[in-house]
Amino acid sequence: MTEVVSGLAPELKGAKRGSGIVPEASAGERFQSTDVEAFEVPGGREENWRFTPMKRLRGLHDGTAMFAGTAAVSVTETDGVTVETVGRDDSRVGQAGIPADRVAAAAWSAFREATVVTLDGTPEPVTVTVDGPGAGESAALHLQLRTTPHTEATVVLVQRGSGVLADNLEVVLADGSRLNLVVTDEWADDAVHVAAHHLSIGRDATLRAIAVSLGGDLVRVSPTVRYAGPGGDAELLGLGFADAGQHLEQRLLVDHAVPNCKSNVLYKNALQGVKGTTNAHTVWIGDVLIRAAAENTETFEFNRNLVLTEHARADSVPNLEIETGEIAGAGHASATGRFDDEQLFYLQSRGIPEDVARRLVVRGFFGEILQRLPTPELRERLEAAIEAELAIAGA
Amino acid sequence: MSTLEIKDLHASVTTEDGPKEILRGVNLTVRAGETHAIMGPNGSGKSTLAYAIAGHPKYEITSGEVLLDGENVLDMTVDERARAGLFLAMQYPVEVPGVSMANFLRSAATAVRGEAPKLRTWVKEVKGAMNDLDIDPDFADRSVNEGFSGGEKKRHEVLQLALLKPKIAVLDETDSGLDVDALRVVSEGVNRYREGGETGVVLITHYTRILQYIKPDHVHVFAAGRVVESGGPELADDLEKNGYERFVRAAGAAV
């Protein structure tokens, strides 16, 4: 740990190697392991934990969460959909990626059986439901969605209920396949959910993903996109509504390591706090890495936050690393705006009541995401859920 | 036929040094069919009068009354005032990102009329009103006032006037920042609104230019937070020639 460093300039002679945390040089150099013990227990000051309220993680990060509960998984099975329950020794487990933080590794170390859903052909939209383990319980989960070559499918993953859940979601898209994926966090107020999404895009495969974060006390989702071959296309859209006391955290990494791939990230969060309570808090980290080999990459990432009230905080950290000049296009942006008294006055001065004015603004803000939801039923249900969120603090 | 009565209105704004009185006893009565021009130098409080009538939260009414057909407007919320028939065309219309103009106009019309306008007639109505004001139909899909030029914003204020048909409209420096063509288009819009003779207009302006297009029945000089002189259109000609100097001095002496 403290050996003398050799090969330094004369004035640094005798310097000892540091024993502190070595900063990650690049988002792509993250340490990865399926073994929870390979990770230090995070204290909350590490780069990838610094926004997370560690005290509210219910021990997911420090080994005190027992994972004794069960999060039930149910899948609507139709033609072209195969559901299997497999052990961790199944060769497919880990194919899309492995954990890069201690909670994901804890979930990996603790899950008993993995659910593998294979989509083949052009199945009807599939709904996968995960029910939390219940108040006071904690559970670990492992779920894999995979396509066969040239499959075109839609999956809606609904996550709901109470309790504490850590999980790894793997998505393995075979060559030429196309998946519309909607993942919703519709938890009860007590729930804590920490998820790692490992998204593997096959050659010429397309992922259209929409993450919807509405419920829960603390929800932290870390999606990582990797391309297994050229021609892949990933669109990651997100919509979050944080109300008083809620912590919603989205940590994305798009790792472009092969040529001719596309990624497009757009996450929109609305925040609405209440005086005298913990802030409504959203965190968006958008890392995009374009490696030297990833020529002709086209990527754009954008985070927009709409702060509706006081007592709300939006953190946004876009980060783009480019190791090759031969790209088609790369951009990133972040914008946080406030719905202010002047806007409210303007709308009200045209006869529009305050609650309607607020709804207009939030609907307008989320519109471009909501309109891309794959089914009208889902759109209506989530629109209603957002209106309900507005009504809670709208008083 | 509607009447707006402003009686001995006092209003102040909160500043770092405590409340500062801006309106100091405004008296004004506007009846349907009448157009009143309120003219005054910068800082005289004429825009504050407009915002105070509309109910902007920045201004505190310390005494006085504003009555619309006998009802106390000051007891109403901002949106209730608009639904009661008051309209303020703002000098600096606010940008509301994410809300399309079309959606905004329909929501406002629904609120003011008490029911959602029938879609087919509504679309025609909006198109016609936009056409009257030389507004490109593409603006319907754009966010409210976002990225609009000064002139585009003013046209959209008058568009709202045309669609919401208030009983009394207060136009706060609707002429400022307009070139001659835009001023003509906007003025024609205001004249269409008042041509039935059932609506009252309060035209707040710094310059006499707009009065060549919108003929006032009454002209008031506003200085140091109140109406210091009232007269007919000839008063505007006097101001054009001699400026506000004598009123400012007289008002200063009175304070």
Side-chain angles (χ1 to χ4, degrees):
Chain A
M1 288 286 273
T2 54
E3 77 268 31
V4 172
V5 183
S6 60
L8 290 174
E11 64 272 22
L12 294 174
K13 192 170 187 301
K16 300 275 204 314
R17 198 171 288 286
S19 58
I21 297 161
V22 180
E24 285 164 5
S26 160
E29 307 312 317
R30 291 172 180 174
F31 175 75
Q32 297 185 82
S33 173
T34 56
D35 176 14
V36 61
E37 297 308 332
F39 292 86
E40 299 266 354
V41 173
R45 300 178 71 167
E46 299 78 3
E47 179 56 35
N48 66 338
W49 291 104
R50 68 188 175 102
F51 292 107
T52 311
M54 306 304 283
K55 286 192 179 127
R56 285 157 63 188
L57 276 176
R58 317 281 175 90
L60 285 175
H61 63 300
D62 64 8
T64 57
M66 298 316 294
F67 298 118
T70 302
V73 181
S74 60
V75 183
T76 56
E77 285 184 66
T78 54
D79 284 351
V81 181
T82 310
V83 183
E84 298 164 81
T85 305
V86 304
R88 63 176 60 251
D89 55 342
D90 188 285
S91 63
R92 293 169 295 184
V93 170
Q95 199 181 333
I98 61 171
D101 69 52
R102 195 172 199 271
V103 174
W108 200 292
S109 299
F111 81 84
R112 292 183 287 271
E113 287 173 319
T115 303
V116 176
V117 179
T118 304
L119 305 150
D120 179 49
T122 54
E124 292 291 305
V126 180
T127 300
V128 180
T129 307
V130 172
D131 284 292
E137 297 288 331
S138 61
L141 180 76
H142 198 100
L143 178 63
Q144 185 179 84
L145 307 173
R146 54 190 300 124
T147 56
T148 57
H150 303 290
T151 285
E152 289 192 19
T154 295
V155 174
V156 179
L157 170 59
V158 177
Q159 304 172 109
R160 63 186 189 192
S162 283
V164 178
L165 178 68
D167 75 299
N168 288 277
L169 168 67
E170 290 187 68
V171 174
V172 184
L173 296 193
D175 294 353
S177 68
R178 185 183 178 93
L179 178 67
N180 288 309
L181 174 65
V182 181
V183 180
T184 70
D185 278 283
E186 298 178 78
W187 301 102
D189 291 345
D190 69 293
V192 170
H193 181 214
V194 178
H197 293 176
H198 312 278
L199 311 168
S200 172
I201 317 294
R203 184 188 181 106
D204 299 323
T206 301
L207 174 67
R208 296 269 177 266
I210 303 179
V212 179
S213 262
L214 296 176
D217 174 62
L218 186 163
V219 174
R220 177 180 146 125
V221 182
S222 307
T224 300
V225 174
R226 290 199 171 83
Y227 298 86
D233 183 355
E235 177 182 79
L236 306 180
L237 305 181
L239 176 166
F241 195 115
D243 53 33
Q246 256 189 315
H247 177 91
L248 302 181
E249 185 166 344
Q250 304 133 354
R251 311 185 64 90
L252 296 104
L253 167 63
V254 181
D255 187 345
H256 282 278
V258 295
N260 300 313
C261 292
K262 274 194 217 175
S263 62
N264 184 31
V265 174
L266 172 63
Y267 268 61
K268 292 186 136 186
N269 294 314
L271 300 90
Q272 179 167 263
V274 173
K275 192 176 181 178
T277 62
T278 310
N279 276 353
H281 192 192
T282 61
V283 179
W284 180 84
I285 311 291
D287 287 336
V288 172
L289 172 60
I290 305 173
R291 295 180 192 260
E295 292 185 352
N296 205 25
T297 291
E298 191 177 336
T299 175
F300 194 77
E301 54 168 353
F302 192 14
N303 172 226
R304 278 196 66 187
N305 301 303
L306 174 65
V307 179
L308 291 165
T309 59
E310 302 278 310
H311 316 291
R313 178 189 167 101
D315 285 291
S316 179
V317 188
N319 181 32
L320 180 59
E321 290 176 55
I322 307 179
E323 294 173 0
T324 172
E326 302 297 314
I327 55 171
H332 62 168
S334 166
T336 296
R338 179 177 284 281
F339 177 58
D340 62 23
D341 292 346
E342 293 298 327
Q343 293 169 339
L344 179 60
F345 172 73
Y346 189 74
L347 296 174
Q348 280 189 287
S349 78
R350 300 316 185 225
I352 300 169
E354 178 169 355
D355 57 333
V356 178
R358 245 170 233 290
R359 233 178 285 152
L360 263 183
V361 168
V362 172
R363 263 195 217 148
F365 180 68
F366 284 143
E368 65 180 317
I369 308 274
L370 288 170
Q371 74 190 18
R372 288 201 245 179
L373 287 166
T375 69
E377 295 77 29
L378 186 63
R379 201 175 311 140
E380 275 164 33
R381 186 165 68 78
L382 292 177
E383 271 170 357
I386 291 166
E387 309 259 307
E389 294 265 346
L390 272 169
I392 292 169
Chain B
M1 299 294 259
S2 295
T3 306
L4 178 73
E5 295 168 273
I6 302 167
K7 296 179 178 175
D8 193 29
L9 188 68
H10 290 253
S12 36
V13 65
T14 311
T15 68
E16 282 177 5
D17 308 323
K20 183 183 171 207
E21 188 171 53
I22 297 180
L23 299 184
R24 305 167 184 216
V26 180
N27 289 290
L28 184 70
T29 300
V30 180
R31 292 182 186 82
E34 297 177 349
T35 298
H36 292 248
I38 295 183
M39 306 194 59
N42 289 329
S44 59
K46 51 192 198 306
S47 278
T48 300
L49 176 64
Y51 279 105
I53 296 168
H56 194 287
K58 192 169 138 195
Y59 302 101
E60 193 198 344
I61 308 296
T62 48
S63 66
E65 285 186 307
V66 178
L67 305 173
L68 178 62
D69 299 333
E71 296 233 28
N72 190 354
V73 165
L74 300 179
D75 287 343
M76 302 179 192
T77 59
V78 175
D79 49 306
E80 283 168 351
R81 294 178 199 206
R83 292 198 296 274
L86 281 177
F87 180 88
L88 168 60
M90 296 189 200
Q91 186 180 355
Y92 302 109
V94 181
E95 300 188 359
V96 189
V99 178
S100 72
M101 208 71 216
N103 199 355
F104 163 64
L105 291 174
R106 191 168 164 79
S107 300
T110 300
V112 166
R113 297 178 191 182
E115 59 177 353
K118 290 208 169 49
L119 205 54
R120 267 186 64 190
T121 51
W122 172 248
V123 170
K124 226 166 132 185
E125 192 182 344
V126 173
K127 266 193 190 153
M130 288 176 88
N131 191 42
D132 287 342
L133 290 160
D134 281 351
I135 297 174
D136 191 305
D138 291 350
F139 274 85
D141 297 325
R142 289 176 57 178
S143 290
V144 174
N145 292 320
E146 197 178 39
F148 290 19
S149 71
E152 286 161 354
K153 284 181 180 171
K154 297 297 171 72
R155 285 173 204 236
H156 279 85
E157 293 294 282
V158 177
L159 173 67
Q160 292 163 47
L161 178 72
L163 293 169
L164 301 180
K165 301 182 177 65
K167 293 173 180 164
I168 304 283
V170 180
L171 311 181
D172 184 15
E173 305 215 9
T174 296
D175 52 333
S176 68
L178 296 184
D179 61 31
V180 174
D181 286 341
L183 182 63
R184 185 184 46 77
V185 168
V186 160
S187 299
E188 284 170 4
V190 175
N191 287 332
R192 270 192 300 277
Y193 157 72
R194 60 181 198 143
E195 70 193 354
E198 293 178 354
T199 55
V201 174
V202 179
L203 191 65
I204 294 174
T205 181
H206 185 76
Y207 305 104
T208 52
R209 191 176 63 146
I210 194 173
L211 305 183
Q212 295 162 15
Y213 299 90
I214 304 172
K215 299 285 182 204
D217 305 296
H218 304 273
V219 174
H220 310 274
V221 181
F222 208 79
R226 65 168 76 92
V227 175
V228 294
E229 183 150 330
S230 298
E234 73 287 349
L235 181 53
D237 301 333
D238 177 26
L239 289 170
E240 174 73 24
K241 255 187 257 140
N242 303 313
Y244 295 113
E245 191 60 22
R246 75 182 167 99
F247 299 105
V248 174
R249 247 182 293 130
V255 174

PDB file of all heavy atoms in Angstrom, chain B residues 39-51:
ATOM      1  N   MET B  39     -51.838  57.766 -19.763  1.00  0.00           N
ATOM      2  CA  MET B  39     -50.505  58.121 -20.238  1.00  0.00           C
ATOM      3  C   MET B  39     -49.691  58.661 -19.079  1.00  0.00           C
ATOM      4  O   MET B  39     -50.227  59.322 -18.192  1.00  0.00           O
ATOM      5  CB  MET B  39     -50.616  59.179 -21.328  1.00  0.00           C
ATOM      6  CG  MET B  39     -51.558  58.739 -22.450  1.00  0.00           C
ATOM      7  SD  MET B  39     -51.400  59.742 -23.911  1.00  0.00           S
ATOM      8  CE  MET B  39     -49.697  59.490 -24.308  1.00  0.00           C
ATOM      9  N   GLY B  40     -48.430  58.353 -19.117  1.00  0.00           N
ATOM     10  CA  GLY B  40     -47.612  58.872 -18.034  1.00  0.00           C
ATOM     11  C   GLY B  40     -46.164  58.553 -18.262  1.00  0.00           C
ATOM     12  O   GLY B  40     -45.832  57.682 -19.072  1.00  0.00           O
ATOM     13  N   PRO B  41     -45.304  59.255 -17.550  1.00  0.00           N
ATOM     14  CA  PRO B  41     -43.878  59.004 -17.698  1.00  0.00           C
ATOM     15  C   PRO B  41     -43.492  57.642 -17.091  1.00  0.00           C
ATOM     16  O   PRO B  41     -44.263  57.059 -16.337  1.00  0.00           O
ATOM     17  CB  PRO B  41     -43.232  60.147 -16.920  1.00  0.00           C
ATOM     18  CG  PRO B  41     -44.270  60.565 -15.927  1.00  0.00           C
ATOM     19  CD  PRO B  41     -45.599  60.299 -16.566  1.00  0.00           C
ATOM     20  N   ASN B  42     -42.308  57.172 -17.418  1.00  0.00           N
ATOM     21  CA  ASN B  42     -41.802  55.938 -16.824  1.00  0.00           C
ATOM     22  C   ASN B  42     -41.756  56.076 -15.308  1.00  0.00           C
ATOM     23  O   ASN B  42     -41.412  57.144 -14.803  1.00  0.00           O
ATOM     24  CB  ASN B  42     -40.382  55.650 -17.326  1.00  0.00           C
ATOM     25  CG  ASN B  42     -40.405  55.226 -18.785  1.00  0.00           C
ATOM     26  OD1 ASN B  42     -41.367  54.620 -19.246  1.00  0.00           O
ATOM     27  ND2 ASN B  42     -39.357  55.577 -19.515  1.00  0.00           N
ATOM     28  N   GLY B  43     -42.136  55.007 -14.627  1.00  0.00           N
ATOM     29  CA  GLY B  43     -42.036  55.020 -13.175  1.00  0.00           C
ATOM     30  C   GLY B  43     -43.201  55.727 -12.496  1.00  0.00           C
ATOM     31  O   GLY B  43     -43.193  55.911 -11.287  1.00  0.00           O
ATOM     32  N   SER B  44     -44.226  56.094 -13.270  1.00  0.00           N
ATOM     33  CA  SER B  44     -45.355  56.798 -12.656  1.00  0.00           C
ATOM     34  C   SER B  44     -46.311  55.827 -11.969  1.00  0.00           C
ATOM     35  O   SER B  44     -47.167  56.249 -11.201  1.00  0.00           O
ATOM     36  CB  SER B  44     -46.095  57.606 -13.717  1.00  0.00           C
ATOM     37  OG  SER B  44     -46.565  56.740 -14.737  1.00  0.00           O
ATOM     38  N   GLY B  45     -46.166  54.524 -12.264  1.00  0.00           N
ATOM     39  CA  GLY B  45     -47.018  53.529 -11.611  1.00  0.00           C
ATOM     40  C   GLY B  45     -48.131  53.002 -12.493  1.00  0.00           C
ATOM     41  O   GLY B  45     -48.989  52.260 -12.054  1.00  0.00           O
ATOM     42  N   LYS B  46     -48.109  53.365 -13.787  1.00  0.00           N
ATOM     43  CA  LYS B  46     -49.229  52.938 -14.639  1.00  0.00           C
ATOM     44  C   LYS B  46     -49.247  51.433 -14.884  1.00  0.00           C
ATOM     45  O   LYS B  46     -50.312  50.819 -14.890  1.00  0.00           O
ATOM     46  CB  LYS B  46     -49.275  53.745 -15.949  1.00  0.00           C
ATOM     47  CG  LYS B  46     -47.993  53.825 -16.740  1.00  0.00           C
ATOM     48  CD  LYS B  46     -48.139  54.890 -17.821  1.00  0.00           C
ATOM     49  CE  LYS B  46     -47.091  54.733 -18.919  1.00  0.00           C
ATOM     50  NZ  LYS B  46     -45.685  54.702 -18.434  1.00  0.00           N
ATOM     51  N   SER B  47     -48.068  50.809 -15.015  1.00  0.00           N
ATOM     52  CA  SER B  47     -48.048  49.355 -15.148  1.00  0.00           C
ATOM     53  C   SER B  47     -48.467  48.673 -13.846  1.00  0.00           C
ATOM     54  O   SER B  47     -49.145  47.639 -13.865  1.00  0.00           O
ATOM     55  CB  SER B  47     -46.652  48.865 -15.531  1.00  0.00           C
ATOM     56  OG  SER B  47     -46.463  49.005 -16.918  1.00  0.00           O
ATOM     57  N   THR B  48     -48.080  49.265 -12.735  1.00  0.00           N
ATOM     58  CA  THR B  48     -48.501  48.718 -11.438  1.00  0.00           C
ATOM     59  C   THR B  48     -50.020  48.697 -11.346  1.00  0.00           C
ATOM     60  O   THR B  48     -50.611  47.743 -10.826  1.00  0.00           O
ATOM     61  CB  THR B  48     -47.906  49.557 -10.292  1.00  0.00           C
ATOM     62  OG1 THR B  48     -46.491  49.511 -10.379  1.00  0.00           O
ATOM     63  CG2 THR B  48     -48.357  49.026  -8.935  1.00  0.00           C
ATOM     64  N   LEU B  49     -50.651  49.769 -11.851  1.00  0.00           N
ATOM     65  CA  LEU B  49     -52.113  49.802 -11.848  1.00  0.00           C
ATOM     66  C   LEU B  49     -52.675  48.600 -12.599  1.00  0.00           C
ATOM     67  O   LEU B  49     -53.573  47.908 -12.122  1.00  0.00           O
ATOM     68  CB  LEU B  49     -52.603  51.113 -12.489  1.00  0.00           C
ATOM     69  CG  LEU B  49     -54.118  51.233 -12.649  1.00  0.00           C
ATOM     70  CD1 LEU B  49     -54.801  51.258 -11.281  1.00  0.00           C
ATOM     71  CD2 LEU B  49     -54.481  52.486 -13.451  1.00  0.00           C
ATOM     72  N   ALA B  50     -52.094  48.309 -13.772  1.00  0.00           N
ATOM     73  CA  ALA B  50     -52.555  47.173 -14.577  1.00  0.00           C
ATOM     74  C   ALA B  50     -52.401  45.867 -13.802  1.00  0.00           C
ATOM     75  O   ALA B  50     -53.328  45.050 -13.722  1.00  0.00           O
ATOM     76  CB  ALA B  50     -51.757  47.110 -15.887  1.00  0.00           C
ATOM     77  N   TYR B  51     -51.209  45.662 -13.214  1.00  0.00           N
ATOM     78  CA  TYR B  51     -50.953  44.413 -12.487  1.00  0.00           C
ATOM     79  C   TYR B  51     -51.795  44.308 -11.226  1.00  0.00           C
ATOM     80  O   TYR B  51     -52.218  43.219 -10.828  1.00  0.00           O
ATOM     81  CB  TYR B  51     -49.461  44.290 -12.159  1.00  0.00           C
ATOM     82  CG  TYR B  51     -48.651  43.790 -13.333  1.00  0.00           C
ATOM     83  CD1 TYR B  51     -47.848  44.636 -14.076  1.00  0.00           C
ATOM     84  CD2 TYR B  51     -48.728  42.441 -13.709  1.00  0.00           C
ATOM     85  CE1 TYR B  51     -47.126  44.175 -15.159  1.00  0.00           C
ATOM     86  CE2 TYR B  51     -48.018  41.974 -14.787  1.00  0.00           C
ATOM     87  CZ  TYR B  51     -47.204  42.838 -15.519  1.00  0.00           C
ATOM     88  OH  TYR B  51     -46.510  42.365 -16.587  1.00  0.00           O
TER      89      TYR B  51
END
